[in-house]
């Protein structure tokens, strides 16, 4: 009887320790993934093509403050948020987009928002062969850029817009990655309301802000604000990285005041209580990289009503879009 008791106790002890080990390993994996993502974001943000460095960092106040106006509505806009990404890389991305057959027919307009006051706007426009360039303060990550564009062009927003970071995912030495080209060339048409432009493995489901890789409680509040209801269980589709295509109709389905409020939150100064939210012990919220910016990165599917939890499966089947009603 004593031997049996000791065996049971030994078994329970081993089981308990195994659970502890699994928990610690899982925790370390999550931290490692987050650290790699942060390091990658940091390195991408500070890449700069040395052969253009002198030109790009011209001290001329006239050129550095150069801004184009947006006065006309177009069929298709490509909006890029730029800081100091490699010029050759960004230029190749723009060329690749211009050559997609479905987009080429729509004569897409390239709009670059430069968030680096040390970069010469007119030179950047020339090197990227952009149609429009504007200088913005470096606030709110790429989400702040997209919201600024929507707010200031709400009444003349393009029929469709691609919103993307300049350090894009989905570009190769040959041009656009196969999955990216397939989305634009085979899956896009005039009735598309929203389409994520990121690899399938960057599409997942959150359960009202909760996910195995982290918890974003502000998502629940944003859901309630947008949908006028409590966040329902069952999971909501989230597409990371802030790269997507959206229709003007779907943008205007939300009132302008919603975008203004989100922009106000994503660009708050460093003393604001939102910066006290905690993501991890390695992360410090700042106006140029606010924690709320990472929440906004996860709510585009909700904002543009393409959050059903089968989005990942549909993207695997090459049906990666939500459509506007005719």
């Amino acid at each position: 009887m004593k031997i049996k008791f000791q065996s049971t106790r030994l078994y329970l002890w081993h089981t308990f320790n195994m659970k502890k080990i699994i928990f610690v390993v899982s925790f370390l994996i999550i931290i490692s993934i987050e650290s790699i993502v942060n390091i990658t974001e940091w390195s991408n943000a500070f890449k700069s093509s040395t052969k253009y460095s002198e030109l790009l960092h011209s001290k001329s106040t006239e050129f550095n403050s150069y801004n184009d106006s947006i006065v006309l509505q177009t069929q298709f806009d490509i909006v890029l948020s730029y800081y100091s990404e490699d010029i050759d890389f960004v230029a190749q991305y723009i060329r690749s987009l211009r050559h997609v057959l479905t987009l080429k027919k729509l004569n897409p307009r390239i709009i670059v928002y430069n968030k680096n006051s040390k970069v010469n706007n007119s030179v950047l426009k020339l090197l990227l062969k952009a149609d429009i360039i504007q200088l913005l303060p470096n606030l709110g990550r790429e989400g702040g850029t997209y919201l600024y564009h929507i707010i200031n062009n709400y009444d003349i927003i393009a029929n469709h817009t691609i919103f993307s970071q300049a350090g894009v995912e989905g570009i190769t030495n040959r041009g656009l990655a196969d999955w990216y080209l397939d989305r634009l060339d085979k899956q896009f048409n005039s009735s598309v309301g929203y389409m994520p432009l990121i690899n399938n493995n960057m599409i997942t489901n959150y359960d009202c802000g909760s996910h195995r890789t982290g918890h974003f409680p502000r998502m629940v509040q944003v859901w309630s604000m947008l949908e006028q209801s409590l966040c329902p269980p069952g999971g909501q589709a989230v597409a990371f990285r802030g790269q997507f295509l959206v229709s003007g109709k779907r943008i205007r389905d939300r009132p302008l005041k919603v975008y203004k409020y989100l922009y106000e939150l994503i660009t708050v100064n460093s003393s604001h209580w939102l910066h006290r939210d905690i993501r991890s012990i390695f992360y410090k919220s700042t106006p140029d990289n606010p924690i709320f910016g990472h929440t906004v990165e996860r709510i585009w599917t909700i904002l543009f009503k393409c959050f059903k939890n089968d989005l990942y499966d549909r993207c695997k089947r090459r049906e990666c879009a939500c459509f506007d009603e005719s």
Side-chain angles (χ1 to χ4, degrees):
M1 187 71 179
K2 186 177 181 181
I3 295 172
K4 186 176 180 181
F5 175 75
Q6 287 177 338
S7 298
T8 303
R9 188 170 62 178
L10 189 62
Y11 171 77
L12 291 173
W13 185 83
H14 278 300
T15 302
F16 176 74
N17 276 279
M18 281 301 296
K19 286 182 178 179
K20 282 205 309 186
I21 291 169
I22 291 170
F23 174 80
V24 171
V25 169
S26 300
F27 179 73
L28 290 173
I29 289 172
I30 290 171
I31 289 176
S32 300
I33 291 171
E34 184 165 313
S35 299
I36 290 168
V37 169
N38 287 336
I39 291 169
T40 303
E41 286 181 353
W42 180 86
S43 65
N44 285 339
F46 289 93
K47 277 184 182 178
S48 184
S49 183
T50 54
K51 63 183 176 182
Y52 299 127
S53 182
E54 190 174 340
L55 277 173
L56 281 172
H57 294 85
S58 165
K59 298 297 181 184
S60 169
T61 304
E62 178 186 353
F63 289 134
N64 284 19
S65 60
Y66 172 85
N67 273 314
D68 292 310
S69 298
I70 303 174
V71 294
L72 298 174
Q73 183 180 32
T74 63
Q75 291 190 75
F76 204 103
D77 281 343
I78 296 167
V79 171
L80 300 183
S81 182
Y82 179 86
Y83 184 73
S84 62
E85 290 83 356
D86 182 83
I87 292 296
D88 289 327
F89 178 87
V90 182
Q92 181 186 353
Y93 178 41
I94 291 172
R95 284 194 303 272
S96 299
L97 288 173
R98 285 191 187 275
H99 283 91
V100 176
L101 290 179
T102 49
L103 303 191
K104 199 171 185 179
K105 297 172 185 175
L106 301 174
N107 191 26
R109 180 172 59 178
I110 309 296
I111 301 171
V112 176
Y113 288 100
N114 169 30
K115 304 186 83 168
N116 187 343
S117 61
K118 295 179 181 179
V119 167
N120 185 307
N121 254 13
S122 60
V123 173
L124 183 63
K125 179 181 180 180
L126 183 67
L127 292 173
L128 296 181
K129 297 183 179 178
D131 298 299
I132 290 172
I133 192 161
Q134 291 189 10
L135 180 66
L136 290 184
N138 186 23
L139 299 172
R141 294 171 54 88
E142 79 285 342
T145 307
Y146 304 167
L147 290 166
Y148 176 90
H149 178 80
I150 291 170
I151 291 166
N152 287 274
N153 301 281
Y154 188 79
D155 294 324
I156 56 168
I157 205 79
N159 292 345
H160 285 91
T161 303
I162 286 177
F163 288 97
S164 173
Q165 302 176 52
V168 67
E169 179 199 359
I171 189 77
T172 71
N173 293 332
R174 300 180 288 109
L176 295 179
D178 291 340
W179 61 264
Y180 199 161
L181 183 59
D182 185 77
R183 300 256 178 98
L184 296 179
D185 206 27
K186 305 298 182 186
Q187 299 181 46
F188 169 71
N189 59 54
S190 60
S191 63
V192 166
Y194 172 89
M195 178 187 288
L197 297 177
I198 43 110
N199 198 298
N200 287 355
N201 60 20
M202 299 296 286
I203 299 171
T204 187
N205 287 326
Y206 270 63
D207 188 3
C208 294
S210 295
H211 192 261
R212 62 184 177 277
T213 59
H215 185 48
F216 286 82
R218 300 294 176 192
M219 284 183 66
V220 182
Q221 295 174 315
V222 173
W223 171 282
S224 296
M225 179 186 75
L226 294 173
E227 297 300 305
Q228 297 292 293
S229 68
L230 296 179
C231 183
Q236 301 80 35
V238 166
F240 293 93
R241 289 301 299 269
Q243 293 173 204
F244 55 87
L245 186 158
V246 64
S247 69
K249 179 184 183 304
R250 200 155 285 219
I251 288 174
R252 283 191 291 265
D253 279 346
R254 298 288 188 188
L256 180 58
K257 65 181 180 181
V258 165
Y259 301 106
K260 286 184 175 180
Y261 182 59
L262 290 173
Y263 183 75
E264 179 186 328
L265 292 179
I266 206 172
T267 58
V268 291
N269 63 40
S270 56
S271 64
H272 194 277
W273 49 265
L274 263 180
H275 289 295
R276 295 197 291 272
D277 284 353
I278 296 174
R279 181 179 179 185
S280 78
I281 58 175
F282 300 102
Y283 183 81
K284 178 177 174 56
S285 182
T286 56
D288 64 320
N289 187 17
I291 189 168
F292 190 69
H294 295 272
T295 297
V296 170
E297 179 187 352
R298 289 160 172 78
I299 66 163
W300 297 116
T301 51
I302 299 168
L303 189 62
F304 299 128
K305 293 183 178 290
C306 191
F307 54 76
K308 289 185 178 178
N309 58 17
D310 65 344
L311 183 62
Y312 173 81
D313 293 326
R314 288 193 287 112
C315 287
K316 283 185 70 175
R317 298 196 305 267
R318 298 176 58 232
E319 298 171 0
C320 199
C322 293
F323 296 92
D324 291 334
E325 294 179 6
S326 55

